[in-house]
């Protein structure tokens, strides 16, 4: 028993390739991919990750019941607009983009009435890019967010939710566009800001890698960052991110103040509060 759908993945990089590997396990009728890089398409076909790849999207889009768009935020609106006449009637489209507010409004304003775009966000990834680093395992036990809008059909939301579960996602949350961007600014974007800032603070004039333990390695892993993508995400969610940075600065300042004043009680309270909150996380 397989997934009775023709599926096209747009952008066969790390996330698109990982989707393809996970969806292959669900046995769809056809699994296509669109990518601008011919070598990537060739690699996907040779490894059996996809049934067939295309440099141009017209043919697979006309056949596909589900389209998963795994390209950068600014590129998605243009892709949808340029291919509006190519989507199959009744097609469901979803995405993997880490910001939603202006993006979702723009997409919904240009969609045909017979197409449904279910905005999604897999909370999974790696610090590397490209199909060669793709793995279905990155979704196992991960979180997935669905951002419903008024024009979405309930059955299409259920479709995306069920596929996410079958791919191995553990927790699936549904939130508004506004709440998504606020929360993601904190749980995803702020940690990247902190990791980048920590690495850029290194002026020790030694080979830091020879001195590090797990704490530094774990904190800075995501500083090996996809610059183009994360610049778009930071700027696109800048109001939320600035608010989180300012709150973080306040907490850093509290620790600094306790150190300056040798206030062991205040410092202990700060550390205990953080430890307790971390233990309570699911």
């Amino acid at each position: 028993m397989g997934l009775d759908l023709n599926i096209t993945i747009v952008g066969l990089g790390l996330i698109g390739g990982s989707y393809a590997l996970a969806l292959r396990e669900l046995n769809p009728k056809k699994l296509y991919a669109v990518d601008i890089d011919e070598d990537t398409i060739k690699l996907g076909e040779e490894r059996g990750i996809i049934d067939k790849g295309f440099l141009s999207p017209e043919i697979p889009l006309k056949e596909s019941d589900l389209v998963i768009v795994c390209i950068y935020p600014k590129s998605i609106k243009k892709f949808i607009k340029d291919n509006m006449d190519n989507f199959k009637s009744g097609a469901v489209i979803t995405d993997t983009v880490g910001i939603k507010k202006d993006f979702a409004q723009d997409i919904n304003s240009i969609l045909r009435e017979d197409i449904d775009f279910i905005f999604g966000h897999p909370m999974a990834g790696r610090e590397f890019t490209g199909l060669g680093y793709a793995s279905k395992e990155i979704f196992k036990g991960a979180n997935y967010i669905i951002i419903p809008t008024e024009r979405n059909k309930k059955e299409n939301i259920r479709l995306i939710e069920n596929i996410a579960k079958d791919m191995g996602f553990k927790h699936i949350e549904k939130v508004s566009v506004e709440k998504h961007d606020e929360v993601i600014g904190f749980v995803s974007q702020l940690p990247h800001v902190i990791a980048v800032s920590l690495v850029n603070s290194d002026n020790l004039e030694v080979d830091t890698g020879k001195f590090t333990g797990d704490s530094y390695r774990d904190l800075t892993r995501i500083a090996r960052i996809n610059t183009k993508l994360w610049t778009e995400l930071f700027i696109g969610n800048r109001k939320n991110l600035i608010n989180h940075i300012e709150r973080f600065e306040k907490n850093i300042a509290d620790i600094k103040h306790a150190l300056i004043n040798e206030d062991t009680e205040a410092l202990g309270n700060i550390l205990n509060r953080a430890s307790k909150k971390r233990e309570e996380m699911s």
Side-chain angles (χ1 to χ4, degrees):
M1 191 70 178
L3 191 61
D4 191 28
L5 298 170
N6 290 330
I7 301 175
T8 289
I9 295 170
V10 181
L12 198 63
L14 170 67
I15 296 299
S18 297
Y19 259 87
L21 288 164
L23 289 168
R24 176 62 80 195
E25 301 275 300
L26 306 184
N27 195 26
K29 288 198 295 186
K30 288 292 182 181
L31 184 56
Y32 301 128
V34 176
D35 200 278
I36 60 174
D37 186 79
E38 192 169 2
D39 289 338
T40 295
I41 289 173
K42 184 178 179 181
L43 179 64
E45 291 177 343
E46 288 176 348
R47 293 188 178 180
I49 298 172
I50 55 173
D51 292 314
K52 187 171 178 56
F54 299 83
L55 293 172
S56 298
E58 292 84 0
I59 293 174
L61 292 187
K62 290 180 184 297
E63 295 184 23
S64 292
D65 308 291
L66 174 63
V67 179
I68 304 168
V69 187
C70 305
I71 55 180
Y72 292 172
K74 289 183 178 180
S75 302
I76 295 181
K77 182 181 177 181
K78 184 178 187 307
F79 179 84
I80 298 296
K81 188 174 182 179
D82 289 349
N83 290 283
M84 190 60 65
D85 293 336
N86 293 322
F87 290 103
K88 180 180 178 180
S89 181
V92 176
I93 309 171
T94 191
D95 70 309
T96 61
V97 169
I99 51 175
K100 299 298 182 188
K101 188 174 184 297
D102 295 337
F103 167 76
Q105 292 171 350
D106 288 346
I107 293 297
N108 279 336
S109 70
I110 61 173
L111 280 181
R112 285 180 4 215
E113 286 298 319
D114 61 333
I115 302 171
D116 204 3
F117 200 123
I118 311 296
F119 296 94
H121 187 186
M123 298 301 295
R126 287 178 167 176
E127 61 271 30
F128 305 103
T129 60
L131 179 60
Y133 294 102
S135 171
K136 64 184 179 182
E137 299 302 321
I138 68 173
F139 303 132
K140 305 297 185 185
N143 297 322
Y144 187 86
I145 307 171
I146 295 176
I147 304 91
T149 63
E150 291 182 357
R151 75 185 307 281
N152 291 150
K153 296 180 179 179
K154 291 181 179 180
E155 60 267 29
N156 293 334
I157 294 175
R158 283 196 299 271
L159 171 68
I160 299 301
E161 184 174 7
N162 290 336
I163 289 175
K165 288 178 180 177
D166 291 341
M167 288 171 62
F169 288 96
K170 184 177 181 181
H171 298 291
I172 299 176
E173 296 289 330
K174 299 186 184 74
V175 296
S176 68
V177 167
E178 293 77 14
K179 179 56 69 174
H180 170 273
D181 286 3
E182 179 188 4
V183 173
I184 293 306
F186 180 75
V187 301
S188 179
Q189 294 175 352
L190 181 61
H192 282 78
V193 169
I194 294 168
V196 167
S197 300
L198 180 57
V199 169
N200 286 340
S201 297
D202 180 2
N203 63 351
L204 298 174
E205 297 182 354
V206 298
D207 183 351
T208 307
K210 294 180 179 178
F211 293 83
T212 58
D214 290 343
S215 58
Y216 187 88
R217 285 193 295 268
D218 290 347
L219 279 169
T220 60
R221 176 184 59 81
I222 56 175
R224 188 168 182 172
I225 200 165
N226 181 331
T227 301
K228 184 178 186 298
L229 172 61
W230 283 94
T231 297
E232 283 193 30
L233 295 176
F234 284 174
I235 296 297
N237 199 30
R238 60 191 178 278
K239 291 183 180 179
N240 284 314
L241 184 53
I242 289 169
N243 287 337
H244 295 314
I245 290 172
E246 289 175 346
R247 191 174 301 114
F248 182 78
E249 289 172 335
K250 165 66 168 58
N251 280 283
I252 285 282
D254 288 344
I255 294 175
K256 179 181 176 181
H257 184 75
L259 291 171
I260 290 171
N261 292 284
E262 298 184 31
D263 190 340
T264 56
E265 182 178 357
L267 184 58
N269 288 337
I270 292 170
L271 301 179
N272 285 333
R273 185 169 70 250
S275 180
K276 183 178 180 181
K277 290 184 74 171
R278 184 61 182 86
E279 287 176 4
E280 291 172 351
M281 286 176 59
S282 58

